[in-house]
mmCIF file of all heavy atoms in Angstrom:
data_model
loop_
_atom_site.group_PDB
_atom_site.id
_atom_site.type_symbol
_atom_site.label_atom_id
_atom_site.label_comp_id
_atom_site.label_asym_id
_atom_site.label_seq_id
_atom_site.Cartn_x
_atom_site.Cartn_y
_atom_site.Cartn_z
ATOM 1 N N ILE J 156 -11.682 25.475 -3.571
ATOM 2 C CA ILE J 156 -12.972 25.155 -2.969
ATOM 3 C C ILE J 156 -13.222 23.655 -3.189
ATOM 4 O O ILE J 156 -12.832 23.113 -4.218
ATOM 5 C CB ILE J 156 -14.099 25.990 -3.611
ATOM 6 C CG1 ILE J 156 -13.856 27.481 -3.327
ATOM 7 C CG2 ILE J 156 -15.465 25.561 -3.114
ATOM 8 C CD1 ILE J 156 -14.808 28.416 -4.017
ATOM 9 N N SER J 157 -13.890 23.025 -2.258
ATOM 10 C CA SER J 157 -14.166 21.600 -2.378
ATOM 11 C C SER J 157 -14.819 21.288 -3.725
ATOM 12 O O SER J 157 -15.693 22.017 -4.193
ATOM 13 C CB SER J 157 -15.087 21.146 -1.251
ATOM 14 O OG SER J 157 -15.425 19.781 -1.433
ATOM 15 N N LEU J 158 -14.363 20.199 -4.321
ATOM 16 C CA LEU J 158 -14.936 19.783 -5.600
ATOM 17 C C LEU J 158 -16.228 19.006 -5.401
ATOM 18 O O LEU J 158 -16.911 18.701 -6.363
ATOM 19 C CB LEU J 158 -13.917 18.928 -6.357
ATOM 20 C CG LEU J 158 -12.568 19.580 -6.610
ATOM 21 C CD1 LEU J 158 -11.635 18.620 -7.307
ATOM 22 C CD2 LEU J 158 -12.748 20.855 -7.435
ATOM 23 N N TRP J 159 -16.556 18.678 -4.170
ATOM 24 C CA TRP J 159 -17.778 17.949 -3.852
ATOM 25 C C TRP J 159 -18.806 18.896 -3.257
ATOM 26 O O TRP J 159 -18.467 19.728 -2.417
ATOM 27 C CB TRP J 159 -17.511 16.842 -2.859
ATOM 28 C CG TRP J 159 -16.808 15.649 -3.424
ATOM 29 C CD1 TRP J 159 -16.204 15.546 -4.623
ATOM 30 C CD2 TRP J 159 -16.661 14.394 -2.785
ATOM 31 N NE1 TRP J 159 -15.668 14.315 -4.776
ATOM 32 C CE2 TRP J 159 -15.927 13.577 -3.664
ATOM 33 C CE3 TRP J 159 -17.036 13.888 -1.570
ATOM 34 C CZ2 TRP J 159 -15.586 12.268 -3.356
ATOM 35 C CZ3 TRP J 159 -16.698 12.580 -1.253
ATOM 36 C CH2 TRP J 159 -15.990 11.794 -2.149
ATOM 37 N N ASP J 160 -20.073 18.723 -3.657
ATOM 38 C CA ASP J 160 -21.122 19.488 -3.000
ATOM 39 C C ASP J 160 -21.722 18.638 -1.873
ATOM 40 O O ASP J 160 -21.258 17.533 -1.612
ATOM 41 C CB ASP J 160 -22.196 19.939 -4.005
ATOM 42 C CG ASP J 160 -22.903 18.789 -4.699
ATOM 43 O OD1 ASP J 160 -22.827 17.652 -4.199
ATOM 44 O OD2 ASP J 160 -23.546 19.037 -5.730
ATOM 45 N N VAL J 161 -22.749 19.136 -1.224
ATOM 46 C CA VAL J 161 -23.348 18.439 -0.084
ATOM 47 C C VAL J 161 -23.868 17.058 -0.509
ATOM 48 O O VAL J 161 -23.676 16.064 0.194
ATOM 49 C CB VAL J 161 -24.489 19.289 0.525
ATOM 50 C CG1 VAL J 161 -25.244 18.506 1.577
ATOM 51 C CG2 VAL J 161 -23.916 20.558 1.134
ATOM 52 N N ASP J 162 -24.521 17.000 -1.675
ATOM 53 C CA ASP J 162 -25.041 15.715 -2.151
ATOM 54 C C ASP J 162 -23.926 14.695 -2.366
ATOM 55 O O ASP J 162 -24.085 13.525 -2.031
ATOM 56 C CB ASP J 162 -25.832 15.889 -3.453
ATOM 57 C CG ASP J 162 -27.139 16.628 -3.230
ATOM 58 O OD1 ASP J 162 -27.657 16.614 -2.087
ATOM 59 O OD2 ASP J 162 -27.657 17.221 -4.208
ATOM 60 N N ASP J 163 -22.794 15.158 -2.931
ATOM 61 C CA ASP J 163 -21.645 14.260 -3.124
ATOM 62 C C ASP J 163 -21.162 13.703 -1.790
ATOM 63 O O ASP J 163 -20.886 12.521 -1.652
ATOM 64 C CB ASP J 163 -20.480 14.984 -3.815
ATOM 65 C CG ASP J 163 -20.801 15.348 -5.260
ATOM 66 O OD1 ASP J 163 -21.538 14.619 -5.920
ATOM 67 O OD2 ASP J 163 -20.283 16.395 -5.706
ATOM 68 N N ASN J 164 -21.052 14.577 -0.811
ATOM 69 C CA ASN J 164 -20.602 14.161 0.522
ATOM 70 C C ASN J 164 -21.592 13.172 1.161
ATOM 71 O O ASN J 164 -21.175 12.171 1.753
ATOM 72 C CB ASN J 164 -20.416 15.375 1.453
ATOM 73 C CG ASN J 164 -19.123 16.091 1.185
ATOM 74 O OD1 ASN J 164 -18.094 15.472 1.025
ATOM 75 N ND2 ASN J 164 -19.185 17.410 1.166
ATOM 76 N N GLU J 165 -22.873 13.456 1.049
ATOM 77 C CA GLU J 165 -23.865 12.569 1.622
ATOM 78 C C GLU J 165 -23.850 11.206 0.933
ATOM 79 O O GLU J 165 -23.964 10.173 1.605
ATOM 80 C CB GLU J 165 -25.251 13.203 1.553
ATOM 81 C CG GLU J 165 -25.408 14.348 2.543
ATOM 82 C CD GLU J 165 -26.719 15.096 2.392
ATOM 83 O OE1 GLU J 165 -27.484 14.830 1.433
ATOM 84 O OE2 GLU J 165 -26.990 15.946 3.248
ATOM 85 N N ARG J 166 -23.724 11.188 -0.397
ATOM 86 C CA ARG J 166 -23.648 9.909 -1.122
ATOM 87 C C ARG J 166 -22.421 9.121 -0.680
ATOM 88 O O ARG J 166 -22.482 7.917 -0.456
ATOM 89 C CB ARG J 166 -23.621 10.138 -2.629
ATOM 90 C CG ARG J 166 -24.971 10.374 -3.256
ATOM 91 C CD ARG J 166 -24.884 10.312 -4.770
ATOM 92 N NE ARG J 166 -24.046 11.323 -5.362
ATOM 93 C CZ ARG J 166 -24.440 12.551 -5.672
ATOM 94 N NH1 ARG J 166 -25.679 12.925 -5.459
ATOM 95 N NH2 ARG J 166 -23.583 13.408 -6.204
ATOM 96 N N ARG J 167 -21.307 9.799 -0.534
ATOM 97 C CA ARG J 167 -20.070 9.145 -0.104
ATOM 98 C C ARG J 167 -20.212 8.573 1.304
ATOM 99 O O ARG J 167 -19.811 7.446 1.581
ATOM 100 C CB ARG J 167 -18.898 10.136 -0.182
ATOM 101 C CG ARG J 167 -17.608 9.613 0.294
ATOM 102 C CD ARG J 167 -17.172 8.459 -0.562
ATOM 103 N NE ARG J 167 -15.986 7.886 0.001
ATOM 104 C CZ ARG J 167 -15.304 6.944 -0.550
ATOM 105 N NH1 ARG J 167 -15.698 6.462 -1.711
ATOM 106 N NH2 ARG J 167 -14.252 6.439 0.017
ATOM 107 N N GLN J 168 -20.776 9.378 2.210
ATOM 108 C CA GLN J 168 -20.956 8.901 3.570
ATOM 109 C C GLN J 168 -21.895 7.703 3.615
ATOM 110 O O GLN J 168 -21.648 6.737 4.355
ATOM 111 C CB GLN J 168 -21.501 10.033 4.444
ATOM 112 C CG GLN J 168 -20.469 11.103 4.719
ATOM 113 C CD GLN J 168 -21.059 12.322 5.400
ATOM 114 O OE1 GLN J 168 -22.261 12.457 5.528
ATOM 115 N NE2 GLN J 168 -20.189 13.226 5.839
ATOM 116 N N GLN J 169 -22.959 7.720 2.803
ATOM 117 C CA GLN J 169 -23.892 6.581 2.761
ATOM 118 C C GLN J 169 -23.182 5.347 2.209
ATOM 119 O O GLN J 169 -23.372 4.241 2.737
ATOM 120 C CB GLN J 169 -25.127 6.911 1.918
ATOM 121 C CG GLN J 169 -26.175 5.807 1.969
ATOM 122 C CD GLN J 169 -26.701 5.558 3.360
ATOM 123 O OE1 GLN J 169 -27.050 6.460 4.102
ATOM 124 N NE2 GLN J 169 -26.738 4.289 3.761
ATOM 125 N N LYS J 170 -22.380 5.524 1.195
ATOM 126 C CA LYS J 170 -21.629 4.412 0.620
ATOM 127 C C LYS J 170 -20.700 3.791 1.670
ATOM 128 O O LYS J 170 -20.594 2.569 1.781
ATOM 129 C CB LYS J 170 -20.825 4.904 -0.585
ATOM 130 C CG LYS J 170 -20.077 3.840 -1.317
ATOM 131 C CD LYS J 170 -19.338 4.423 -2.525
ATOM 132 C CE LYS J 170 -18.522 3.359 -3.232
ATOM 133 N NZ LYS J 170 -17.803 3.903 -4.381
ATOM 134 N N GLU J 171 -20.030 4.634 2.451
ATOM 135 C CA GLU J 171 -19.144 4.139 3.500
ATOM 136 C C GLU J 171 -19.941 3.422 4.604
ATOM 137 O O GLU J 171 -19.502 2.396 5.104
ATOM 138 C CB GLU J 171 -18.319 5.278 4.081
ATOM 139 C CG GLU J 171 -17.255 5.771 3.126
ATOM 140 C CD GLU J 171 -16.452 6.938 3.666
ATOM 141 O OE1 GLU J 171 -16.694 7.378 4.809
ATOM 142 O OE2 GLU J 171 -15.550 7.415 2.949
ATOM 143 N N ARG J 172 -21.093 3.977 4.979
ATOM 144 C CA ARG J 172 -21.938 3.311 5.985
ATOM 145 C C ARG J 172 -22.408 1.953 5.493
ATOM 146 O O ARG J 172 -22.359 0.966 6.228
ATOM 147 C CB ARG J 172 -23.131 4.186 6.352
ATOM 148 C CG ARG J 172 -22.824 5.319 7.322
ATOM 149 C CD ARG J 172 -24.082 5.979 7.853
ATOM 150 N NE ARG J 172 -24.852 6.644 6.829
ATOM 151 C CZ ARG J 172 -24.697 7.908 6.477
ATOM 152 N NH1 ARG J 172 -23.801 8.671 7.076
ATOM 153 N NH2 ARG J 172 -25.428 8.446 5.525
ATOM 154 N N ASP J 173 -22.837 1.890 4.219
ATOM 155 C CA ASP J 173 -23.298 0.622 3.661
ATOM 156 C C ASP J 173 -22.162 -0.402 3.637
ATOM 157 O O ASP J 173 -22.378 -1.578 3.966
ATOM 158 C CB ASP J 173 -23.834 0.837 2.243
ATOM 159 C CG ASP J 173 -25.121 1.650 2.200
ATOM 160 O OD1 ASP J 173 -25.743 1.837 3.274
ATOM 161 O OD2 ASP J 173 -25.489 2.113 1.111
ATOM 162 N N ALA J 174 -20.977 0.030 3.232
ATOM 163 C CA ALA J 174 -19.832 -0.884 3.194
ATOM 164 C C ALA J 174 -19.498 -1.378 4.591
ATOM 165 O O ALA J 174 -19.214 -2.565 4.790
ATOM 166 C CB ALA J 174 -18.627 -0.204 2.578
ATOM 167 N N PHE J 175 -19.555 -0.498 5.567
ATOM 168 C CA PHE J 175 -19.267 -0.878 6.950
ATOM 169 C C PHE J 175 -20.301 -1.891 7.448
ATOM 170 O O PHE J 175 -19.935 -2.890 8.075
ATOM 171 C CB PHE J 175 -19.256 0.358 7.851
ATOM 172 C CG PHE J 175 -19.003 0.046 9.293
ATOM 173 C CD1 PHE J 175 -17.743 -0.273 9.721
ATOM 174 C CD2 PHE J 175 -20.049 0.064 10.222
ATOM 175 C CE1 PHE J 175 -17.501 -0.576 11.076
ATOM 176 C CE2 PHE J 175 -19.805 -0.212 11.547
ATOM 177 C CZ PHE J 175 -18.529 -0.538 11.967
ATOM 178 N N GLU J 176 -21.571 -1.647 7.145
ATOM 179 C CA GLU J 176 -22.600 -2.588 7.578
ATOM 180 C C GLU J 176 -22.417 -3.952 6.923
ATOM 181 O O GLU J 176 -22.617 -4.986 7.570
ATOM 182 C CB GLU J 176 -23.976 -2.008 7.225
ATOM 183 C CG GLU J 176 -24.385 -0.865 8.142
ATOM 184 C CD GLU J 176 -25.708 -0.224 7.731
ATOM 185 O OE1 GLU J 176 -26.478 -0.833 6.941
ATOM 186 O OE2 GLU J 176 -25.982 0.880 8.189
ATOM 187 N N ARG J 177 -22.034 -3.965 5.632
ATOM 188 C CA ARG J 177 -21.784 -5.258 4.962
ATOM 189 C C ARG J 177 -20.628 -5.995 5.630
ATOM 190 O O ARG J 177 -20.694 -7.200 5.866
ATOM 191 C CB ARG J 177 -21.452 -5.037 3.487
ATOM 192 C CG ARG J 177 -22.676 -4.865 2.611
ATOM 193 C CD ARG J 177 -22.340 -4.952 1.128
ATOM 194 N NE ARG J 177 -21.311 -4.028 0.695
ATOM 195 C CZ ARG J 177 -21.513 -2.774 0.367
ATOM 196 N NH1 ARG J 177 -22.714 -2.262 0.420
ATOM 197 N NH2 ARG J 177 -20.508 -2.005 -0.024
ATOM 198 N N LEU J 178 -19.553 -5.268 5.956
ATOM 199 C CA LEU J 178 -18.409 -5.892 6.624
ATOM 200 C C LEU J 178 -18.821 -6.442 7.997
ATOM 201 O O LEU J 178 -18.411 -7.550 8.377
ATOM 202 C CB LEU J 178 -17.271 -4.892 6.795
ATOM 203 C CG LEU J 178 -16.488 -4.569 5.535
ATOM 204 C CD1 LEU J 178 -15.503 -3.430 5.804
ATOM 205 C CD2 LEU J 178 -15.761 -5.792 5.012
ATOM 206 N N MET J 179 -19.591 -5.662 8.745
ATOM 207 C CA MET J 179 -20.026 -6.116 10.051
ATOM 208 C C MET J 179 -20.892 -7.374 9.930
ATOM 209 O O MET J 179 -20.781 -8.296 10.723
ATOM 210 C CB MET J 179 -20.793 -5.005 10.777
ATOM 211 C CG MET J 179 -19.930 -3.817 11.154
ATOM 212 S SD MET J 179 -18.551 -4.247 12.223
ATOM 213 C CE MET J 179 -19.420 -4.622 13.728
ATOM 214 N N GLN J 180 -21.767 -7.401 8.925
ATOM 215 C CA GLN J 180 -22.631 -8.568 8.725
ATOM 216 C C GLN J 180 -21.795 -9.781 8.340
ATOM 217 O O GLN J 180 -22.031 -10.878 8.826
ATOM 218 C CB GLN J 180 -23.681 -8.285 7.634
ATOM 219 C CG GLN J 180 -24.681 -9.400 7.470
ATOM 220 C CD GLN J 180 -25.491 -9.644 8.743
ATOM 221 O OE1 GLN J 180 -26.000 -8.730 9.344
ATOM 222 N NE2 GLN J 180 -25.595 -10.884 9.144
ATOM 223 N N GLN J 181 -20.797 -9.570 7.469
ATOM 224 C CA GLN J 181 -19.919 -10.682 7.087
ATOM 225 C C GLN J 181 -19.172 -11.205 8.296
ATOM 226 O O GLN J 181 -19.030 -12.437 8.477
ATOM 227 C CB GLN J 181 -18.921 -10.246 6.013
ATOM 228 C CG GLN J 181 -19.541 -10.019 4.666
ATOM 229 C CD GLN J 181 -18.569 -9.384 3.672
ATOM 230 O OE1 GLN J 181 -17.473 -8.966 4.022
ATOM 231 N NE2 GLN J 181 -18.988 -9.288 2.433
ATOM 232 N N ASP J 182 -18.641 -10.306 9.132
ATOM 233 C CA ASP J 182 -17.949 -10.730 10.334
ATOM 234 C C ASP J 182 -18.874 -11.495 11.262
ATOM 235 O O ASP J 182 -18.513 -12.531 11.825
ATOM 236 C CB ASP J 182 -17.368 -9.522 11.096
ATOM 237 C CG ASP J 182 -16.145 -8.945 10.429
ATOM 238 O OD1 ASP J 182 -15.589 -9.607 9.518
ATOM 239 O OD2 ASP J 182 -15.726 -7.860 10.809
#
Side-chain angles (χ1 to χ4, degrees):
I156 297 174
S157 176
L158 303 178
W159 285 12
D160 61 17
V161 172
D162 290 336
D163 292 328
N164 281 316
E165 288 174 352
R166 278 192 298 273
R167 176 63 186 185
Q168 288 171 351
Q169 185 61 48
K170 183 178 177 181
E171 288 178 1
R172 281 191 295 270
D173 293 346
F175 179 75
E176 287 176 16
R177 278 193 305 277
L178 286 173
M179 293 301 290
Q180 186 62 48
Q181 288 171 352
D182 285 348

